Amino acid sequence: MLFNSLNLSKELLDAIHKKGYQKASPVQQQVIPLVLEGKDVLASAQTGTGKTAGFSLPLLQKLQNSKDKSSQIKGLILTPTRELAAQVAENIREYGCYLRFKALVIYGGVSINPQKYKLNKGVDIVVATPGRLLDHLQQQTINLDSVEMFVLDEADRMLDMGFIRDIRKIIKTLPAVRQNLLFSATFSKEIRLLANNLLNSPTVVEVTPPYSTVDKVKQLVIPVDKQRKRELLSYQIGMGNWQQILVFTRTKHMANRLTERLNEDGIIASAFHGNKSQAARTNTLKQFKLGKVRALVATDIAARGIDINALPYVINYELPYLPEDYIHRIGRTARAGQEGYAISLVCVDEIKLLKGIEKLLNYQIEQKIIAGFEIDPRIPPEPIRKNKTSIKRNKSNFKKNRNKKNYNSRRSRSKSSKSKYFRKSN
C-alpha cells in the first residue's frame, strides 16, 4: 500500500517522499488509519517495522488540522531510553519538516535548564524518558493538561527497566479524555494488564508473530573459546573488510576492554554504555554513523533506539542474559527492507543462553566453525555471573525466596556438566 492512499496531508506526503519512502509498512498500513479515526491502539511490532512513523504521521496530521493553535503540549511520547527518545524526536522533525510546530525531547544526563526554557516558550509535542519527565512534573516546569494523544513506546522495555511506577505517576497527570497508543514488541501478561488500565476499548494490531525476528536478518553462530573471541572478531573484520559493525557485550567493563583491544588491533572502535555521559554517547553515535568509527561496542542500552541506515553487521560478542534482548539486538540490522547479518560468537559457557534463544525463536541457528579457531573440548564450562540489573530483570531465574544453598548447588552442577551441544559444521 502506498502512503498516498492513507489520507495523509500533502505536506506529510512530501516529507515522506523526501525521505525516499513510497510504500507503507504493514504496521503503518494498519495503525495510521486507526489513529486518524481517533481510536486507542494496542500494537505489537518488532523493531525496524516502521512503528515510529505509524504514530508520528497521524499525530502530526492531527496537529495540522487542530483548531487549537496555542503552544501547549498536545502530544506526549514516552520512551525507555535517551537514544530512542532522541531518535523519535528526530523522525518527528523530519516527517513534519513542511509543517509549523515545535517538538522537544527531554531526558536525563544533560542540564535541565535548557529544557525548562523551551517548555516555558511553548511546545506542541514532547518526547521524553520517564525519569526526567517526572523531574519536570515535580518542579512544575511542564503542564500536561492539554495532552490529546499519549504514546507509550517500547512498553515491554519500560517494564523490563522497572519504569512501571513512573509510568503510573505520569498517567495520573494526564487529562482523562485523550487518545492512547501502546506499542510493544511482545504481549506479555504484564503488558496486557498495563493496556487494560491505560487504553479505552483499544484496537489490537499484531503485524508480526511474537518474538519473530526480521526476515532479512541472516543469523549465524560461530563456536569459539572465550579467550579467543577477540582474536576471531578482529580476524573476521579484517578478512571480510567489514566497515560498520555494532558489537554487543553484556557488561560495561567488557565493552571498555574490548574497545581497547580492537584499537590495539588497528580497528577504530568506541565504547557505548551507561557510564558514558550523554554528550559522549551522542558524539560517539554520530561518529559511528559518519563512518569515522568502525566498531561501536555497546551494552544492551543500544539494543533499542539506535537507528542506523543500512547497518550491515551486528555481532554478539557475548550473548545476552535474556533471550528477548537477542531479538532487540539483531533488530538493529536489516531495517527498512535492507539485508543484514547477526553473528554470535558463542563459547561453551554460553550454551544455555543459546538454547534459550533458539527455544524463543523455535528453531536452531546455523553454526559455522572457522578454521584455526576450533573449540577446545577440554575446556569445561564456567557459570556466567549476572550483574545486579540482570538479576532484577530476570525474575524467573532469581526468585525472591531463593536460598543460598540451592543456588550454590546449581552452580556446582553447572561446573561439572559436560557440553555436547555444539554441532559439527563445515
Side-chain angles (χ1 to χ4, degrees):
M1 179 183 293
L2 299 177
F3 276 105
N4 57 18
S5 63
L6 293 175
N7 296 319
L8 295 171
S9 69
K10 180 182 182 302
E11 290 82 0
L12 290 174
L13 289 175
D14 288 345
I16 293 168
H17 294 155
K18 182 180 179 181
K19 287 181 65 67
Y21 301 152
Q22 295 291 334
K23 293 183 178 180
S25 70
V27 67
Q28 293 161 357
Q29 293 175 27
Q30 295 188 55
V31 169
I32 289 175
L34 293 171
V35 179
L36 289 176
E37 291 173 16
K39 295 182 178 180
D40 281 15
V41 174
L42 172 60
S44 172
Q46 301 292 341
T47 57
T49 56
K51 59 185 173 61
T52 301
F55 61 75
S56 298
L57 291 170
L59 170 58
L60 288 168
Q61 178 138 325
K62 288 199 163 194
L63 282 177
Q64 185 180 7
N65 296 336
S66 175
K67 295 180 180 179
D68 182 3
K69 301 301 180 182
S70 61
S71 293
Q72 294 178 314
I73 301 170
K74 302 177 186 67
L76 173 64
I77 302 164
L78 209 58
T79 72
T81 66
R82 303 168 188 174
E83 282 70 33
L84 182 56
Q87 185 62 51
V88 169
E90 181 181 346
N91 287 340
I92 288 175
R93 294 188 183 102
E94 290 174 345
Y95 296 137
C97 63
Y98 298 116
L99 301 177
R100 296 186 65 181
F101 72 96
K102 294 180 181 179
L104 175 64
V105 56
I106 59 177
Y107 49 66
V110 296
S111 173
I112 197 172
N113 293 326
Q115 298 172 3
K116 290 180 180 179
Y117 174 76
K118 292 179 181 178
L119 285 169
N120 188 51
K121 292 188 67 176
V123 296
D124 302 292
I125 300 173
V126 166
V127 186
T129 53
R132 178 52 63 90
L133 181 58
L134 282 177
D135 289 342
H136 281 286
L137 287 169
Q138 290 166 0
Q139 296 181 38
Q140 297 183 346
T141 53
I142 192 170
N143 188 330
L144 303 178
D145 291 344
S146 299
V147 169
E148 299 174 2
M149 184 185 296
F150 173 55
V151 181
L152 191 60
D153 196 14
E154 305 280 15
D156 50 336
R157 183 66 166 173
M158 293 273 200
L159 268 59
D160 285 344
M161 297 174 70
F163 286 140
I164 184 63
R165 290 184 180 179
D166 292 349
I167 293 171
R168 288 172 178 163
K169 289 178 182 178
I170 292 167
I171 290 173
K172 289 180 180 179
T173 68
L174 301 176
V177 179
R178 64 180 188 273
Q179 186 177 11
N180 304 286
L181 312 178
L182 188 155
F183 290 83
S184 175
T186 65
F187 279 169
S188 64
K189 291 181 180 179
E190 293 80 6
I191 291 296
R192 291 190 178 276
L193 179 60
L194 176 61
N196 289 337
N197 295 328
L198 173 64
L199 307 177
N200 180 29
S201 301
T203 300
V204 178
V205 173
E206 293 187 74
V207 296
T208 53
Y211 301 114
S212 68
T213 54
V214 182
D215 290 339
K216 288 188 176 293
V217 178
K218 298 178 181 178
Q219 301 173 66
L220 181 67
V221 165
I222 301 180
V224 61
D225 294 332
K226 180 167 60 177
Q227 299 301 324
R228 301 197 67 193
K229 280 190 177 187
R230 191 274 309 165
E231 182 185 354
L232 175 58
L233 177 59
S234 294
Y235 172 79
Q236 289 288 98
I237 292 173
M239 289 295 294
N241 194 27
W242 298 347
Q243 294 301 316
Q244 197 174 38
I245 315 105
L246 178 56
V247 185
F248 282 104
T249 64
R250 285 190 293 266
T251 66
K252 302 166 189 175
H253 172 73
M254 179 55 74
N256 288 335
R257 182 180 174 186
L258 178 59
T259 297
E260 292 176 2
R261 298 295 298 276
L262 289 175
N263 279 301
E264 290 173 1
D265 291 343
I267 298 167
I268 300 176
S270 291
F272 188 90
H273 52 67
N275 278 2
K276 300 287 185 179
S277 70
Q278 186 58 44
R281 281 156 56 178
T282 300
N283 182 64
T284 296
L285 187 57
K286 179 181 179 181
Q287 297 300 309
F288 182 61
K289 289 183 176 182
L290 291 173
K292 296 181 179 180
V293 170
R294 193 172 182 182
L296 185 68
V297 185
T299 56
D300 283 305
I301 191 173
R304 302 195 189 193
I306 288 184
D307 189 4
I308 302 166
N309 292 332
L311 175 67
Y313 295 100
V314 167
I315 308 297
N316 291 298
Y317 187 80
E318 296 176 311
L319 290 181
Y321 298 115
L322 300 179
E324 293 84 355
D325 285 339
Y326 174 84
I327 305 294
H328 303 314
R329 286 182 177 188
I330 71 172
R332 297 305 96 204
T333 188
R335 297 172 72 85
Q338 300 287 330
E339 288 190 352
Y341 295 86
I343 300 172
S344 300
L345 309 183
V346 181
C347 68
V348 68
D349 303 349
E350 299 171 302
I351 291 174
K352 186 176 181 180
L353 298 179
L354 177 59
K355 285 182 178 180
I357 291 168
E358 292 182 331
K359 181 178 179 181
L360 191 64
L361 297 175
N362 199 29
Y363 62 81
Q364 291 184 333
I365 304 172
E366 177 189 353
Q367 292 191 13
K368 180 180 180 180
I369 296 175
I370 304 300
F373 291 90
E374 296 84 354
I375 59 172
D376 185 346
R378 298 169 297 178
I379 298 177
E382 296 181 0
I384 296 173
R385 298 192 178 188
K386 302 185 178 182
N387 57 31
K388 293 180 180 180
T389 302
S390 67
I391 291 174
K392 183 178 179 181
R393 290 173 60 197
N394 197 353
K395 296 178 181 178
S396 63
N397 291 333
F398 289 84
K399 300 295 184 181
K400 291 181 180 180
N401 296 325
R402 167 186 275 183
N403 60 60
K404 189 174 182 180
K405 180 179 179 180
N406 289 340
Y407 178 58
N408 289 336
S409 175
R410 272 189 287 272
R411 287 187 64 189
S412 177
R413 290 197 300 271
S414 176
K415 285 184 177 180
S416 63
S417 63
K418 299 281 186 177
S419 170
K420 298 181 180 179
Y421 185 68
F422 284 136
R423 301 177 293 281
K424 292 183 179 180
S425 175
N426 294 325

